[in-house]
Amino acid sequence: MSLLSNPLRDPKDRRLPRVAGPCSLILFGVTGDLARKKLIPAVYDLANRGLLPPGFALVGFARHDFGHQEFKALIKKAAKDGARTPWRDTVWKQLVAGIRFVPGEFDDDAAWQRLGDTMRELDEQQGTNGNHAFYLSIPPGLFPVVVSQLEKHGLAQSDNGWRRVVIEKPFGHDLASARELNKIVGGVFPPESVFRIDHYLGKETVQNILAFRFANGMFEPLWNSNYVDHVQITMAEDIGIGTRAGYYDGIGAARDVIQNHLLQLMALIAMEEPVSFKASSLRIEKQKILANARPAPRLDFHTAHAQYVAGWAGGEKVRGYLQEEGIPQSSTTESYAAVRIDIATRRWAGVPFYLRTGKRLGRRVTEVAVVFKRAPHQPFAKHDVVELGENALVMRIQPDEGVTLRFGAKVPGTTMEIRDVLMDFAYGGAFVESSPEAYERLILDVLLGDPPLFPQHEEVELAWEILDPVIDHWARQTSIDTYTSGTWGPASADEMIARDGRSWRRP
């Protein structure tokens, strides 16, 4: 593969790839969906791009009692099924030499001793030099257990290398639990060794928000309350909860998506220009936004939550949330959540940010829409512009990644009639380089010790401070609204934004 075609090459020298040094990645929960569908394929793709060292090792830890050959076959199948780069036997041969499996339960001291023996073996045979990253692809309730066991058995520190821990969201269930989790993890690993994964921050289109805002002089002067009317941030899914009832029920859409993905997107849209793109500089500016952001004061007016009921999606009849396998009939967990956030800064005072997410909606889409104030239209007759909408800049995160600008243009003819038109930029048509999958970028950053895309505990706790009052408000209600599968959410969400004289975009 040409180094010039490598989308993860070294930013300091565009000719050189960012190659990880000698190390291992230890996957807890290696047989789970995330590991099989995302993490293992990402590791293979990194190796195929030439971004992992020859001595790289992959260790699986799980309760299953696999033989080593059986485990290697499982890894091979997962890599083949999910890889985004072509399969090459030479790459697999390099990877398989460093694959190991450690069976055991998390409360089994003997299993942790076997893991320690395996790590030392890899240091000697693969040359990993004491460098090991622990990826916790496990239920959140087990995070403290694993971290404590790593400390107890002396695996969290090393005299001759680095140790890092990777934690998947959600980071706690509320502010109190997030603080407790951060205390536990921070008592074992130093801050620079803790990587909290929010896979949305690894998407190229999310990172492009920073490039779009700060590399182009034409938009930043308009990026404030003088010109922006409001901002809508949407993450819609057309699927239901599937087999995730055990995780999803009791978590809900707000905790699952708004607390992390959408508030992080909001921070990137609203933050001031950082002095550099170093992790510390980005973190400072994002924290300023989160510290000054709060839900609108009238939570009964400016929030909405609901469950999907049976309907049609993708041309098929689908069941409602309460009919999903494993969901109790008494559940009031929301599958749709919307909230208005106000940011008390000079730039954004008076500009509402509307965040919404839901399952079983009209289509799968994630986007940020910056909607500008209407022009006064003084030179035009009323009928010339009566149908003209607001100018809007829409950043599409997924799918069909790109940027759309909506503005008014004259309709050909002898009269001065204005109509909305779209100027569209698509990543797929503008760049010949393929975008790396989010987990590729994030795993590589972990192995490199590069933290810009990972929220630190201050950001996590600030996000919970924003969301906790909303969740507490919903918990005091005795019923939950509903919406038909395949639609764009409940009537209460439309009423919520209509109270401000606005309406939701139809993506």
Side-chain angles (χ1 to χ4, degrees):
M1 177 175 290
S2 169
L3 294 182
L4 294 178
S5 67
N6 192 328
L8 292 172
R9 53 184 172 263
D10 190 338
K12 297 177 183 178
D13 186 338
R14 300 293 288 176
R15 298 167 299 176
L16 298 177
R18 301 165 66 228
V19 180
C23 60
S24 83
L25 182 66
I26 300 169
L27 285 180
F28 295 95
V30 69
T31 59
D33 281 353
L34 176 62
R36 289 186 295 105
K37 295 179 180 179
K38 294 292 185 180
L39 304 182
I40 293 169
V43 167
Y44 171 81
D45 287 334
L46 286 172
N48 208 7
R49 295 183 193 277
L51 301 177
L52 297 180
F56 173 80
L58 178 67
V59 180
F61 187 110
R63 64 169 60 96
H64 298 273
D65 192 13
F66 291 118
H68 285 289
Q69 295 306 316
E70 185 182 3
F71 180 67
K72 290 174 182 178
L74 182 147
I75 298 295
K76 184 175 184 178
K77 184 179 187 308
K80 272 192 169 184
D81 289 347
R84 300 170 74 245
T85 57
W87 183 261
R88 293 196 296 168
D89 288 333
T90 53
V91 173
W92 172 248
K93 184 177 180 180
Q94 173 186 314
L95 266 179
V96 77
I99 291 177
R100 302 289 189 275
F101 179 69
V102 177
E105 301 281 351
F106 292 146
D107 60 356
D108 179 6
D109 285 343
W112 293 97
Q113 293 170 8
R114 288 193 295 271
L115 177 60
D117 293 339
T118 300
M119 292 164 61
R120 287 184 286 274
E121 173 195 317
L122 291 172
D123 290 342
E124 297 174 2
Q125 296 182 4
Q126 292 291 114
T128 48
N129 296 341
N131 300 321
H132 302 279
F134 306 102
Y135 199 119
L136 276 55
S137 178
I138 54 179
L142 295 173
F143 293 165
V145 176
V146 172
V147 170
S148 298
Q149 289 284 39
L150 290 172
E151 179 184 35
K152 175 182 176 181
H153 293 276
L155 305 180
Q157 292 83 31
S158 174
D159 295 331
N160 63 336
W162 51 255
R163 302 292 162 91
R164 296 168 187 153
V165 64
V166 185
I167 301 176
E168 278 280 346
K169 72 164 187 77
F171 315 116
H173 190 78
D174 53 17
L175 178 59
S177 60
R179 284 176 171 165
E180 181 62 24
L181 177 59
N182 287 330
K183 181 180 178 180
I184 292 171
V185 176
V188 178
F189 292 92
E192 66 274 10
S193 297
V194 180
F195 291 76
R196 296 167 181 82
I197 287 275
D198 184 338
H199 72 272
Y200 254 64
L201 298 184
K203 292 182 180 292
E204 287 287 308
T205 42
V206 171
Q207 297 167 53
N208 191 61
I209 291 173
L210 297 175
F212 183 90
R213 286 191 57 194
F214 302 125
N216 300 294
M218 68 180 81
F219 297 110
E220 192 62 17
L222 308 179
W223 218 257
N224 55 65
S225 60
N226 293 327
Y227 299 97
V228 176
D229 179 78
H230 70 282
V231 178
Q232 295 185 25
I233 304 178
T234 299
M235 179 180 167
E237 296 182 275
D238 55 3
I239 60 173
I241 63 168
T243 59
R244 300 176 69 215
Y247 163 79
Y248 197 88
D249 196 54
I251 297 292
R255 289 185 174 99
D256 190 41
V257 175
I258 292 180
Q259 187 274 338
N260 38 75
H261 300 332
L262 298 196
L263 286 177
Q264 283 287 327
L265 285 176
M266 184 191 76
L268 293 173
I269 288 291
M271 64 185 274
E272 297 297 326
E273 182 176 359
V275 296
S276 73
F277 287 124
K278 292 181 179 179
S280 57
S281 298
L282 288 171
R283 193 176 302 131
I284 287 170
E285 300 305 332
K286 286 197 294 178
Q287 286 177 15
K288 288 179 184 177
I289 294 299
L290 295 173
N292 288 284
R294 288 296 179 267
R298 288 292 303 271
L299 296 179
D300 53 340
F301 276 13
H302 288 118
T303 69
H305 71 311
Q307 288 178 349
Y308 61 84
V309 296
W312 291 85
E316 296 182 359
K317 184 74 173 177
V318 295
R319 57 191 174 186
Y321 182 82
L322 295 180
Q323 286 73 55
E324 299 283 13
E325 185 176 349
I327 299 296
Q329 290 301 297
S330 60
S331 174
T332 57
T333 298
E334 80 282 356
S335 61
Y336 178 98
V339 60
R340 171 182 147 179
I341 302 293
D342 296 333
I343 301 175
T345 64
R346 190 183 187 111
R347 182 189 287 261
W348 296 112
V351 178
F353 284 69
Y354 298 99
L355 281 55
R356 62 172 170 168
T357 183
K359 292 187 176 295
R360 287 286 185 225
L361 297 180
R363 61 184 288 255
R364 173 177 172 263
V365 61
T366 300
E367 67 171 33
V368 177
V370 180
V371 182
F372 294 92
K373 294 179 178 178
R374 291 181 182 273
H377 300 316
Q378 291 175 347
F380 303 99
K382 184 176 180 181
H383 64 273
D384 293 338
V385 295
V386 68
E387 298 297 329
L388 192 64
E390 299 113 325
N391 299 145
L393 181 67
V394 181
M395 302 181 187
R396 298 188 305 276
I397 309 300
Q398 68 175 14
D400 306 321
E401 294 86 349
V403 179
T404 297
L405 180 64
R406 183 177 71 192
F407 58 95
K410 181 184 177 299
V411 177
T414 57
T415 60
M416 180 57 77
E417 180 184 355
I418 311 298
R419 185 181 300 168
D420 280 336
V421 296
L422 298 177
M423 182 180 294
D424 191 56
F425 156 71
Y427 276 91
F431 297 106
V432 297
E433 298 173 337
S434 62
S435 296
E437 207 273 337
Y439 278 102
E440 285 183 61
R441 171 69 186 270
L442 295 171
I443 289 174
L444 181 60
D445 284 349
V446 169
L447 301 181
L448 291 168
D450 192 14
L453 302 179
F454 299 86
Q456 291 294 307
H457 70 89
E458 295 92 348
E459 291 175 62
V460 172
E461 293 178 11
L462 287 170
W464 281 119
E465 287 183 21
I466 296 170
L467 194 61
D468 270 3
V470 176
I471 295 175
D472 291 343
H473 169 70
W474 292 343
R476 291 192 293 270
Q477 299 180 10
T478 58
S479 62
I480 186 170
D481 201 357
T482 60
Y483 61 99
T484 303
S485 293
T487 65
W488 281 99
S492 56
D494 296 330
E495 294 165 2
M496 170 193 126
I497 197 170
R499 291 188 180 100
D500 294 339
R502 301 180 176 95
S503 61
W504 293 110
R505 275 178 42 81
R506 182 58 57 88

